[in-house]
Amino acid sequence: MNEKSHTELMKMDAMKRYQRKENFVQDLYIEMLLSEIQLRIEKEKLLLKIDSAIDRRDKKTFLLLTSKLKEINKKFGT
């Protein structure tokens, strides 16, 4: 018979659990990285709009956009 011993089965189970943990950590890292990229893009677009408002001397838009930027910075701790 080619049955696996109890020890071998336990090792296989431990390896499967380890692999699931590794996959979870990897997925979490990828999610964090994508969130960081999205935040940077959003902030960059906002900064360009703020620059444009300054160039147009549009105080109302400038104040609105800088308020949004402050919210983002507060929300993400940047």
Side-chain angles (χ1 to χ4, degrees):
M1 282 208 266
N2 192 12
E3 293 182 26
K4 298 189 187 283
S5 71
H6 178 70
T7 305
E8 288 173 331
L9 291 173
M10 294 298 287
K11 285 180 182 178
M12 287 174 55
D13 185 55
M15 288 299 291
K16 286 179 185 176
R17 282 184 282 151
Y18 175 77
Q19 187 62 42
R20 282 193 298 265
K21 286 180 185 177
E22 283 292 310
N23 288 342
F24 172 77
V25 171
Q26 195 172 45
D27 289 345
L28 185 60
Y29 178 74
I30 290 169
E31 187 177 321
M32 289 171 56
L33 186 60
L34 290 173
S35 293
E36 176 73 19
I37 291 168
Q38 184 179 17
L39 173 64
R40 286 182 184 197
I41 290 171
E42 187 176 344
K43 284 178 70 174
E44 186 62 34
K45 286 180 181 179
L46 201 49
L47 290 170
L48 289 172
K49 289 179 181 180
I50 289 170
D51 287 345
S52 177
I54 291 170
D55 291 342
R56 294 188 323 270
R57 298 182 189 272
D58 183 350
K59 185 176 181 179
K60 183 179 177 182
T61 302
F62 171 80
L63 293 173
L64 176 68
L65 295 172
T66 54
S67 177
K68 287 183 181 183
L69 182 60
K70 287 178 187 177
E71 287 177 25
I72 289 173
N73 287 336
K74 185 177 179 182
K75 183 177 177 182
F76 293 99
T78 56

